[in-house]
Amino acid sequence: MKNADFLTGITTSGTPHLGNYVGAIRPAVKTSKDRDIMSYYFLADYHSLIKNSDPKLRKQSTLEIAAAWIAMGLDHENCVFYRQSDIPEIPELTWILTCLAAKGLMNRAHAYKAVAAQNVETGQNDPDKGITMGLFSYPILMAADILMFNARKVPVGKDQVQHLEMTRAIAGRFNHVYKKIFILPQVVVDENSAVLSGLDGRKMSKSYNNFIPLFDTQKSFRKQIMKIKTNSLGPEEPKDPETCTLFSIYKAFATNVQTKELEKRYQEGIAWGKMKQELFEYINEILKDPRQNYSELIKNPGDIEQILEKGAIKAREFSVPFLEKIRKTIGIQSLST
Ligand code: TRP
């Protein structure tokens, strides 16, 4: 098995939503079909331990997210599609990297800093209240995910860029201290559609609970679109597309020409009700067939399990010998060879 040209993961702590689709699933599906690219896509279930301690939710989320990727057309025969926890080499590499990663580097991680800042803001006397070592050192686990397959490119949302910088720093440290083994991975951010706005206009995220599920009944999907917050401008009043959530969602799906046309209609003052209905119809058409595939898949978890098990076998064709090489490099090896 070859190392990864492209690699990305999705944390299994919620229901797949539109933001996940445009940010991670869609680009992955496209690349998964390319015969000239070796791509690795995985369900980051160890990452989900950081924020969520509900076993049922984790299992359900793993099922839903796997089904979503497959329903959307991921070519799991051509790429390597697996579950993080099926690759025991990843946690082993995590420890090796933990012993190289500077604590000062982790102190600067946004994810950890945001929680600490919130503690200070809310008047807690301990800024580290509720912060686990899992949250604190999460960028190291992510570095291990990436470096385990010596990935060249990592497509992620903007919020993950810092983690990629940290991965590069840690890989560079390993290469310097021991031997040049790791490729320094590059981050790939799709400027157009990587971060989608949610119902309230903030980034669509399970943490804000402002997301639109990717696979819902048609009726609930329409309801969600209708719930998106707009301003109080009336029909025929010109509207600003740049600050509009409806527009940003449309743009994430449409071609450049379609987006330009809609921009014009905003200037002409399209009514919010009409815009919402059109947005619903437009995206619903795209989701119709995948929705059908998804509901079939969800009913057959054994089939998904088989796909993931096959993926783990492929992934380990790379990770087992590569970890062996890493172990030798650091002097953790048989005494008789
Ligand atoms: N931390 C990423 C997120 O929350 C998910 C993730 C885990 C990931 N490991 C990764 C992404 C490795 C890219 C590469 O979105």
Side-chain angles (χ1 to χ4, degrees), residues 292-312:
Q292 186 63 31
N293 298 342
Y294 180 83
S295 69
E296 287 299 315
L297 281 160
I298 282 288
K299 279 186 238 146
N300 299 294
D303 294 353
I304 299 180
E305 184 59 33
Q306 258 188 5
I307 291 173
L308 292 175
E309 283 172 16
K310 269 198 202 158

Side-chain angles (χ1 to χ4, degrees), residues 307-324:
I307 291 173
L308 292 175
E309 283 172 16
K310 269 198 202 158
I313 291 171
K314 281 203 268 179
R316 296 191 73 205
E317 281 172 23
F318 187 87
S319 63
V320 170
F322 192 44
L323 184 68
E324 200 48 41

Side-chain angles (χ1 to χ4, degrees), residues 7-11 42 44 47 138 142 145-146 154-156 160 163:
L7 176 145
T8 202
I10 174 164
T11 307
F42 70 97
H47 281 265
Y138 143 19
M142 186 158 158
D145 291 330
I146 297 166
V154 182
V156 282
Q160 298 293 317
H163 295 142

Side-chain angles (χ1 to χ4, degrees), residues 224-235:
Q224 293 287 320
I225 299 276
M226 296 298 153
K227 263 204 250 168
I228 296 172
K229 222 169 113 185
T230 56
N231 56 30
S232 55
L233 289 172

Side-chain angles (χ1 to χ4, degrees), residues 22 60 90 103 106-107 151 167 169 185 207 221 242 261 263 275 285-286 290 302 322 325 331 333:
V22 299
Q60 180 63 19
I90 294 174
K103 175 173 177 285
M106 294 305 113
N107 285 343
T167 301
S207 342
F221 181 62
E242 285 314 309
E261 265 166 34
E263 235 170 67
M275 176 58 205
E285 198 49 45
I286 297 171
F322 192 44
K325 183 173 166 186
Q333 64 179 116

Side-chain angles (χ1 to χ4, degrees), residues 48-65:
S48 79
L49 291 169
I50 293 166
K51 279 199 189 152
N52 145 36
S53 48
D54 179 344
K56 279 208 190 95
L57 195 142
R58 189 171 356 272
K59 186 174 168 214
Q60 180 63 19
S61 170
T62 306
L63 173 68
E64 288 182 8
I65 293 176

